[in-house]
Amino acid sequence: MRNNPIGIFDSGIGGLTVAKEIIKQLPNESLIYIGDTARVPYGTRSKEIVTKFALELVDFLLRRKVKCLVVACNTISAYALSEIKKVSPVPVVDVLQPVVDRAIKTTKNKKIGVIGTQGTIQNRAYDLAIKKLDPKIKIVSCACPLFVPMAEEGLNHHQATKLIAREYLSDVIGGGIDTLILGCTHYPLLDEAIREAVGKGVILIDSAGPTVTELKKVLSEKNLLSNNPYLKYEFFVTDVPERVYQVASRFFGSDLKDKIRKVTL
Ligand code: DGL
């Protein structure tokens, strides 16, 4: 079992930012990635639909004998984590709790900003998880629906993105936060525009680093760290318009053109 691949999934390609970090921090691990590009975005959908879609992705990965599941999507983590844990015989690592733990350790003035999709923000999953650990922390949150298409279009350096980032983040900045959670796996692709809007004094925390640190801990505790030198990376999506190859390669940081395969769930 320890040499089986890690299963990682997202509503689309944003989760590749987490996959890239897994390969960096856990270079001996094989992985299978699936992104539901036919039905992305999940961020504007209901809890019932997100849960249904998420369980189909989980089923796809479990049939391929993954040794653990990484939920590389904040929207799925916010809406469907308990249902996923109910059906999964293998450990499940989500993006939400590790990021919350990191943010609480990071903030000095106890003011944390949270940005994410409409679903993640409306569901208040981050607020509840933070308040559970430290009720004194003030949270300012804001949905940034245009960030997902802007990240996919590669507009990090574009003036329009900078303008929209300032507009979206004005309440968050006004709240005097010193820590900002990028509660969507697409947002690291807009880090420059976001950083410029919030200023140097605010620390940005994205999903990838804390999630993979937690993954490493879980695999080690369960004696599931691989000792197999033969690595295999597999990437599946549910639809492949030509654009997916380019965008996925940008998110992953290297060319995925011939590596992505289309699958029907
Ligand atoms: N990757 C998703 C997340 O982290 C955002 C994209 C979507 O709306 O499906 O929430």
Side-chain angles (χ1 to χ4, degrees), residues 221-242:
E221 279 167 6
K222 309 253 180 218
N223 212 13
L224 282 173
L225 282 167
S226 161
N227 54 10
N228 182 359
Y230 304 105
L231 295 176
K232 198 170 173 199
Y233 302 137
E234 290 186 283
F235 300 93
F236 296 96
V237 290
T238 49
D239 192 16
V240 267
E242 190 56 31

Side-chain angles (χ1 to χ4, degrees), residues 10-11 14-15 40-44 72-75 117 120 148 183-186:
D10 177 39
S11 57
V40 71
Y42 284 12
T44 46
C73 175
N74 288 266
T75 312
T117 63
T120 302
V148 167
C184 172
T185 48
H186 276 68

Side-chain angles (χ1 to χ4, degrees), residues 13 16 235-237 240 244-245 248-249 256-262:
I13 47 188
L16 287 170
F235 300 93
F236 296 96
V237 290
V240 267
V244 161
Y245 294 124
S249 302
L256 287 178
K257 172 111 177 95
D258 300 318
K259 300 195 180 103
I260 298 181
R261 276 181 284 162
K262 183 181 173 228

Side-chain angles (χ1 to χ4, degrees), residues 38-136:
R39 300 186 293 196
V40 71
Y42 284 12
T44 46
R45 296 183 189 272
S46 68
K47 179 178 164 65
E48 290 67 33
I49 287 293
V50 171
T51 305
K52 179 178 177 291
F53 290 173
L55 291 178
E56 288 171 15
L57 298 171
V58 164
D59 183 56
F60 172 85
L61 291 170
L62 289 177
R63 276 188 277 123
R64 278 155 188 81
K65 305 270 177 280
V66 296
K67 64 179 172 185
C68 71
L69 291 167
V70 178
V71 188
C73 175
N74 288 266
T75 312
I76 299 176
S77 298
Y79 275 149
L81 189 63
S82 57
E83 295 302 316
I84 294 169
K85 283 188 169 165
K86 261 188 227 161
V87 300
S88 176
V90 297
V92 180
V93 174
D94 70 306
V95 283
L96 209 137
Q97 195 60 47
V99 167
V100 164
D101 294 342
R102 176 78 62 91
I104 289 178
K105 277 191 199 129
T106 305
T107 183
K108 299 253 184 318
N109 71 2
K110 294 202 177 277
K111 290 178 187 162
I112 297 177
V114 183
I115 56 173
T117 63
Q118 254 150 12
T120 302
I121 298 302
Q122 260 164 33
N123 169 281
R124 298 189 64 243
Y126 271 105
D127 306 42
L128 298 173
I130 293 170
K131 290 279 182 201
K132 198 170 163 191
L133 292 177
D134 188 343
K136 290 209 184 80

Side-chain angles (χ1 to χ4, degrees), residues 178-192:
D178 68 354
T179 305
L180 177 65
I181 293 176
L182 307 187
C184 172
T185 48
H186 276 68
Y187 295 178
L189 273 283
L190 297 179
D191 59 347
E192 201 179 293

Side-chain angles (χ1 to χ4, degrees), residues 1-6 29-30 64-67 224 226:
M1 184 70 161
R2 64 187 304 173
N3 292 329
N4 290 15
I6 292 168
E29 301 293 337
S30 293
R64 278 155 188 81
K65 305 270 177 280
V66 296
K67 64 179 172 185
L224 282 173
S226 161

Side-chain angles (χ1 to χ4, degrees), residues 164-232:
I164 289 169
R166 275 203 298 277
E167 175 71 24
Y168 272 155
L169 295 166
S170 60
D171 284 353
V172 170
I173 301 161
I177 57 154
D178 68 354
T179 305
L180 177 65
I181 293 176
L182 307 187
C184 172
T185 48
H186 276 68
Y187 295 178
L189 273 283
L190 297 179
D191 59 347
E192 201 179 293
I194 295 170
R195 200 178 292 281
E196 212 175 290
V198 296
K200 283 204 184 84
V202 176
I203 296 173
L204 307 185
I205 301 188
D206 67 39
S207 308
T211 302
V212 180
T213 304
E214 174 65 16
L215 172 65
K216 223 183 209 173
K217 192 171 139 233
V218 169
L219 292 180
S220 160
E221 279 167 6
K222 309 253 180 218
N223 212 13
L224 282 173
L225 282 167
S226 161
N227 54 10
N228 182 359
Y230 304 105
L231 295 176
K232 198 170 173 199

